[in-house]
Amino acid sequence: MEIRVENLRKTFHAEGRAVAALDGIDLHVPDGTVTTLLGPSGCGKTTLLRCIAGLETPDSGTIRIGDTVVWQGDGDRTRSVTPDKRGVGMVFQTYAIWPHMTVFENVAYPLQSQGTPRAETAERVSRALEFVQLGGYENRPATALSGGQQQRVSLARAIVAEPRVILFDEPLSNLDAKLREETRAELRELLTRLGITSLYVTHDRFEAMALSDDVVVMQSGSIVQRGSPEEVYFRASTHFVMDFMGKANFLPGTVVDPEHPSGFMLVDTAVGPLLCERRPGAHVGLAGQVAARMEFLSIVGDLGDDGALPPNHVAATVTSEMFLGEYREVQLRAGDTKLVLRTSATDAIEPGRRVELLLDPAGCRFLTE
């Protein structure tokens, strides 16, 4: 069941000023997909989720779930479907598990509140628990489970009523790092098997990329980019998105040749000329920044004495390195410019070493925002 949000606005008033939590949001979540709302605290992602769930009232706009308009309004004229009638399941950050109930009682609660017959309730609860790999845990006290298991109970409770969509509000943020990594892998597998339209809120980019078919990046109440995890990570459209999605190098520059014979565009920067991915509308003299993720920088050798280097080859000095287990992060300096790259975990590099860097043109993006 798809979700459609059109021109949704929500303003909060605090300390005598108005804050636009949602500034004309348009969003389409296709049927059967997992879409993540990603962004820093205060960007509006949780407010948007709560508006869709019916837990927050927008100022204006339209929300549709399938063919049903669940909220529509403009000023004093509104049309609303109550949260319990929207066909939405919700998984919260705090699990919302009742500690005085067993696992069965927790999962069965939505069905019991709807007056579902006892035999049908037992069958559906058993099926939901088997689905989240908690079969046989029915009679255990909810508090006797681990954090990851409690989160799966919360998911089972969300799906037992067979909702049209499931909304997730940072459900893994209370887990420790190792358990969070394990649980997100399990959750992705479960959501794929479940096939229910899912909208997931997080501020964790790794979580967003691991779980999503689509990532929606939000900033200050607006959507600034949407795409597949690979597209948003490698083809960020703004400085904010590039920086938020992971470490990158930012080099102020000016376009010298927007249609270089190489098939790229040539940009003059403080570290020398750089060939970058072409940008529509770019012209000679356009100022901006060349952005390149760590993955697109590599050391091609020690610095020789052969004079000027060709485009995208940069003379640099290693200033420090950090061993991070799976890789090493190397800090360098090219003149007054700081650069960072990633190398193999087994490839130790001594500080002070003079090296020749290569910035892969295919990984260099020219940004003007």
Side-chain angles (χ1 to χ4, degrees), residues 39-45 170 203 220 244:
S41 297
C43 71
K45 57 189 186 295
E170 305 207 42
H203 63 273
S220 303
F244 191 80

Side-chain angles (χ1 to χ4, degrees), residues 108-123:
Y109 184 82
L111 299 179
Q112 292 170 342
S113 64
Q114 295 172 6
T116 306
R118 184 175 299 179
E120 183 183 346
T121 295
E123 180 184 348

Side-chain angles (χ1 to χ4, degrees), residues 163-182:
R164 299 188 292 174
V165 301
I166 297 183
L167 308 179
F168 295 86
D169 187 10
E170 305 207 42
L172 307 185
S173 60
N174 287 333
L175 305 180
D176 62 59
K178 185 174 185 298
L179 184 56
R180 187 164 61 244
E181 187 174 332
E182 292 171 354

Side-chain angles (χ1 to χ4, degrees), residues 172-203:
L172 307 185
S173 60
N174 287 333
L175 305 180
D176 62 59
K178 185 174 185 298
L179 184 56
R180 187 164 61 244
E181 187 174 332
E182 292 171 354
T183 304
R184 76 180 178 224
E186 292 177 357
L187 184 56
R188 175 68 220 197
E189 182 184 350
L190 288 172
L191 292 177
T192 299
R193 285 197 282 131
L194 194 59
I196 293 179
T197 306
S198 303
L199 187 60
Y200 191 104
V201 161
T202 184
H203 63 273

Side-chain angles (χ1 to χ4, degrees), residues 21-330:
L22 301 175
D23 192 12
I25 293 290
D26 291 314
L27 176 67
H28 176 221
V29 182
D31 181 32
T33 63
V34 181
T35 297
T36 295
L37 301 177
L38 174 68
S41 297
C43 71
K45 57 189 186 295
T46 295
T47 299
L48 176 54
L49 192 81
R50 289 174 62 84
C51 286
I52 294 170
L55 303 178
E56 200 74 63
T57 302
D59 299 331
S60 61
T62 303
I63 302 171
R64 289 184 175 86
I65 298 177
D67 296 327
T68 305
V69 175
V70 297
W71 197 90
Q72 188 171 51
D74 185 7
D76 294 331
R77 295 176 300 173
T78 62
R79 171 183 172 192
S80 181
V81 174
T82 58
D84 59 306
K85 297 292 192 295
R86 295 191 180 192
V88 170
M90 193 149 184
V91 181
F92 296 93
Q93 179 178 351
T94 56
Y95 314 150
I97 297 296
W98 287 286
H100 64 287
M101 293 183 180
T102 64
V103 169
F104 179 92
E105 291 166 338
N106 266 279
V107 177
Y109 184 82
L111 299 179
Q112 292 170 342
S113 64
Q114 295 172 6
T116 306
R118 184 175 299 179
E120 183 183 346
T121 295
E123 180 184 348
R124 286 168 66 175
V125 170
S126 177
R127 191 163 61 239
L129 288 174
E130 286 291 342
F131 189 83
V132 298
Q133 301 172 21
L134 286 178
Y137 285 72
E138 289 85 351
N139 296 320
R140 293 201 187 185
T143 52
L145 303 181
S146 68
Q149 289 171 327
Q150 288 187 47
Q151 192 55 270
R152 280 188 272 163
V153 171
S154 182
L155 177 60
R157 188 178 56 201
I159 66 176
V160 75
E162 299 176 357
R164 299 188 292 174
V165 301
I166 297 183
L167 308 179
F168 295 86
D169 187 10
E170 305 207 42
L172 307 185
S173 60
N174 287 333
L175 305 180
D176 62 59
K178 185 174 185 298
L179 184 56
R180 187 164 61 244
E181 187 174 332
E182 292 171 354
T183 304
R184 76 180 178 224
E186 292 177 357
L187 184 56
R188 175 68 220 197
E189 182 184 350
L190 288 172
L191 292 177
T192 299
R193 285 197 282 131
L194 194 59
I196 293 179
T197 306
S198 303
L199 187 60
Y200 191 104
V201 161
T202 184
H203 63 273
D204 185 321
R205 61 190 175 90
F206 294 109
E207 210 167 287
M209 290 188 286
L211 289 169
S212 308
D213 298 305
D214 281 312
V215 177
V216 176
V217 184
M218 295 186 65
Q219 179 187 20
S220 303
S222 298
I223 293 173
V224 290
Q225 188 170 352
R226 175 178 187 163
S228 68
E230 292 86 352
E231 182 179 0
V232 174
Y233 183 78
F234 288 118
R235 302 179 63 80
S237 59
T238 68
H239 185 290
F240 170 80
V241 176
M242 177 69 77
D243 191 45
F244 191 80
M245 292 299 294
K247 284 191 176 181
N249 298 280
F250 296 95
L251 306 167
T254 305
V255 175
V256 174
D257 185 353
E259 297 185 3
H260 193 268
S262 63
F264 295 94
M265 57 186 283
L266 187 64
V267 180
D268 186 33
T269 74
V271 299
L274 296 177
L275 293 169
C276 308
E277 184 180 20
R278 285 185 177 175
R279 180 188 177 94
H283 56 82
V284 175
L286 179 65
Q289 290 182 318
V290 175
R293 294 213 177 277
M294 294 188 292
E295 294 90 332
F296 293 103
L297 275 70
S298 59
I299 296 173
V300 295
D302 291 323
L303 192 63
D305 298 319
D306 299 331
L309 297 174
N312 293 69
H313 289 253
V314 175
T317 301
V318 176
T319 57
S320 66
E321 69 152 25
M322 291 186 293
F323 175 68
L324 298 176
E326 297 172 352
Y327 61 89
R328 293 176 188 266
E329 190 174 295
V330 182

